[in-house]
Amino acid sequence: MSTSMGPATDNGSGETFLLPVPDDDGAPFWAYTARHELRVQACAACGELRFPPRPCCPHCQSFDDRWRRMSGRGRIWSYVVPHPPLLPAYAAQAPYNVVVVELADAPRIRLVGNLVTAPDAPLNSVDPARIRIGAAVRVAFHEQAPGVTVPRWLLERP
């Protein structure tokens, strides 16, 4: 999985985002998000899910993997609203949120993203006062730049 962020890019709407830089292990994750599918790497030998993706299963040491489709549902496990923004490229969007979502069908898997009102809404579209630990969410997909689609999160009960 990408552990670094690429250059900032304007997506044409005036918003500037940092782009993920996929590595070999995480490239399938980004290929699936481009198809609007949320998938998690699973060991082909023992079935254990793992995220972030890596070449070897930490449970059985197998190098064989497959990608299991997730329901796209989860709960907010944690969140932060940066004041001021942590990254200069996001200054115009402050205050915005960053949520950690625990997947419903894989509770040990947690993904980082943003809670928004619609897939293409601004990062600051949800009032921070409405964010609650444990709130039910579902995935949405946003084309951040040509060829780069990222998962975002919508409240189940807006």
Side-chain angles (χ1 to χ4, degrees):
M1 187 71 179
S2 170
T3 56
S4 62
M5 298 302 285
T9 185
D10 185 322
N11 70 354
S13 68
E15 295 178 321
T16 302
F17 296 99
L18 296 177
L19 298 177
V21 179
D23 59 19
D24 290 342
D25 297 318
F29 176 83
W30 299 107
Y32 286 119
T33 62
R35 294 174 19 195
H36 291 206
E37 294 179 22
L38 185 63
R39 292 189 182 241
V40 172
Q41 188 184 45
C43 178
C46 73
E48 284 289 325
L49 296 174
R50 59 186 188 251
F51 197 88
R54 48 195 170 270
C56 180
C57 175
H59 300 280
C60 74
Q61 287 69 54
S62 172
F63 284 88
D64 297 324
D65 66 52
R66 62 180 191 274
W67 287 79
R68 190 176 303 162
R69 190 170 191 161
M70 300 285 106
S71 69
R73 301 212 180 279
R75 295 205 172 277
I76 295 175
W77 188 79
S78 185
Y79 73 95
V80 65
V81 178
H83 296 279
L86 299 175
L87 301 170
Y90 289 71
Q93 299 170 65
Y96 58 92
N97 66 73
V98 178
V99 295
V100 179
V101 173
E102 179 179 70
L103 298 181
D105 35 3
R108 291 184 299 135
I109 304 293
R110 297 181 184 116
L111 302 178
V112 176
N114 303 101
L115 185 65
V116 292
T117 57
D120 297 325
L123 294 183
N124 60 4
S125 62
V126 173
D127 179 352
R130 296 185 57 221
I131 304 171
R132 298 283 182 266
I133 301 292
V137 294
R138 61 185 160 81
V139 74
F141 295 94
H142 171 72
E143 187 173 358
Q144 193 162 308
V148 179
T149 301
V150 297
R152 288 181 163 187
W153 301 95
L154 307 172
L155 287 169
E156 284 284 347
R157 295 185 196 167

